[in-house]
Every structure is written in C-alpha cells, then in structure tokens.
Amino acid sequence: MGIVNVTPDSFSDGGRHLDPARAVRHGLDLLRAGADLLDVGGESTRPGAAAVPADAELDRVMPVVTGLVRRGAVVSVDTSKAEVAAAALEAGAAAINDITALGDPEMASVVAEAGAGLVLMHMQGTPATMQDDPRYDDVVAEVRDFLVERAGRARAAGVAADRICIDPGIGFGKTTEHNLALLGHLDVLVATGHPVLVGASRKAFLARLLGDLDETGRDEATAVVTAWAAAAGAAVVRVHDVARSLRAAQLATAIVQQRSGRQV
C-alpha cells in the first residue's frame, strides 16, 4: 500500500503532494514502483494533529481519488468520516482505511452498501492526545481484542468478512515498547484470521531506537519492519518508499517459503 498524503501537515511529507495533479503523479510513480494499492489521505493523523472538517477533506481527496481511479489504480481512502467514505467509494475507491475503527457509527453501513474493503485500526485516544502517556496492561491482547470486536461490528453491519483487514496502529497511542511488542507478536493478530496491515513507515519510534535518521534512514528502517511483517504473515504494509519495502518483502517471503519447503 503506497501512501499518497494530500495534507499540508503530515509528519513525513506534509505539503509535498497537496496539489492534486502532483498527488496523482506521485501515486502513479508508486504504482510503477510496485504498489498494489494507493492510500489517499486528506487529514493528518500525526501526533498532535487537529481534526479537519469533512468539506475540507473532500476538497483535498476527491480530485486525487478520481484522477487515480481514472488511470486504473486500486485506491483506498484514509478517512474516519462516513461522509468522505461515501463520496470516495462512489467515485471508485475500493476500500476505506479507518483509523478510528468505526468511530463514525455510519461508517460500517456505508462500506457494506458499497461492497468495499475496510481497514480497522487500533488507536488509543485521538491524534491530538494519543501520545499523552499511553498505557496498557497487555498491549497485544488489548489491541487484538479491540480489533476482533470492531471486526464483529463491521460484519454485523453487513461488511463481508473477507473484506475486513485489521491494523494494530503502530505509533497511534503507543510507546516504543508497545510498538515493539505488537510487531514482535504479529502472529497473535494473524491468528484472528483477518488479514493484517502494518503501518510503521518513517514512524518516530524508528529514530528513537536507531538515532536521528534522515528520510533515507527511516526508509531503510521501515524496510526492515516490512521484512519482519512479511515473514510474520502480515498481508499489507503501508509505506512511503514502495520499491525498498517491496524488495524486503519479496526476500523475506522467499526465505520463509524455502524454509517451509514450498516452491518459490
């Protein structure tokens, strides 16, 4: 999943692709680099970010969604608003990436009616508050149980079980230790039977672990996480640098297949 941020203030590339034509070109570059789908977002979810009104979010994402769909891209839209989701799905988006996991009570029915895919992510708090001393008794179990419960809500609203993906929400209301615990126990999430998405690309915890990193350094660290996630059975990685992470995933998958005695 290649990231197409259409925001002025995202933590890594805010403002870089705010112009719709430039965002579409960037998305097409990610497809050429090997992305299977593109995640278009019009509201920053970095720590401390303020909410964006639906009309502003629509103004940002709709020209990009339309432009990418017209060029044959499979598009997901990173939104927590059912109003935005409905417009994007009508324009041809294939999935909704909801960081609030049905925080909007209308979201599940909108996705179900469109027959679309749905990513449900765990977050403690909101982007504005999530890094204010996050605490868990057992982060892996709590995140798993939350996501399983929200997946059940989605199914009850009519979303097909095979169209639901779960995301532990790396960096969303988690300390570095929480992030590492979730990555180290991805098998617990994979065992739920839902495809697992991992979104660790360029996150701050990588720099906290490895020292001050520039963008290239964070992409290298992200590729290591991608390899780990692929080996652990994750179905999707959400990344800025598609080519680097794709190579890492391919290599990790080949090693796992060879170890398992499967034909590569």
Side-chain angles (χ1 to χ4, degrees), residues 6 18-24 40 55-71 88 91:
V6 195
L18 191 56
D19 173 71
R22 187 169 182 176
V24 169
V40 178
D55 56 350
E57 191 176 342
L58 284 165
D59 287 344
R60 292 174 182 177
V61 303
M62 290 308 297
V64 181
V65 171
T66 302
L68 289 171
V69 168
R70 188 178 296 136
R71 289 162 176 81

Side-chain angles (χ1 to χ4, degrees), residues 46-121:
R46 61 177 173 77
V52 171
D55 56 350
E57 191 176 342
L58 284 165
D59 287 344
R60 292 174 182 177
V61 303
M62 290 308 297
V64 181
V65 171
T66 302
L68 289 171
V69 168
R70 188 178 296 136
R71 289 162 176 81
V74 179
V75 174
S76 67
V77 175
D78 181 358
T79 186
S80 59
K81 301 179 183 70
E83 177 182 350
V84 176
L89 293 171
E90 186 174 353
I96 298 299
N97 182 10
D98 182 3
I99 68 165
T100 67
L102 309 183
D104 185 330
E106 301 300 320
M107 181 65 84
S109 59
V110 165
V111 173
E113 184 176 345
L118 177 63
V119 179
L120 300 170
M121 194 195 81

Side-chain angles (χ1 to χ4, degrees), residues 131 174-176 179 203-213:
Q131 290 307 109
K174 281 94 177 175
T175 65
T176 297
N179 293 328
K203 293 287 176 74
F205 84 99
L206 300 172
R208 285 195 292 271
L209 282 167
L210 302 175
D212 189 24
L213 298 174

Side-chain angles (χ1 to χ4, degrees), residues 140-229:
V140 176
E142 290 174 47
V143 168
R144 175 200 60 201
D145 293 349
F146 171 87
L147 292 171
V148 168
E149 187 272 333
R150 292 304 169 103
R153 284 195 200 182
R155 291 196 305 274
V159 181
D162 63 358
R163 292 182 176 270
I164 299 170
C165 183
I166 59 174
D167 176 354
I170 300 299
F172 284 82
K174 281 94 177 175
T175 65
T176 297
E177 290 72 24
H178 295 146
N179 293 328
L180 291 174
L182 288 164
L183 290 171
H185 295 282
L186 285 176
D187 60 312
V188 173
L189 298 179
V190 172
T192 66
H194 294 290
V196 174
L197 182 152
V198 174
S201 186
R202 298 180 183 171
K203 293 287 176 74
F205 84 99
L206 300 172
R208 285 195 292 271
L209 282 167
L210 302 175
D212 189 24
L213 298 174
D214 61 11
E215 187 172 292
T216 297
R218 288 200 185 197
D219 285 336
E220 290 173 350
T222 299
V224 174
V225 176
T226 292
W228 175 268

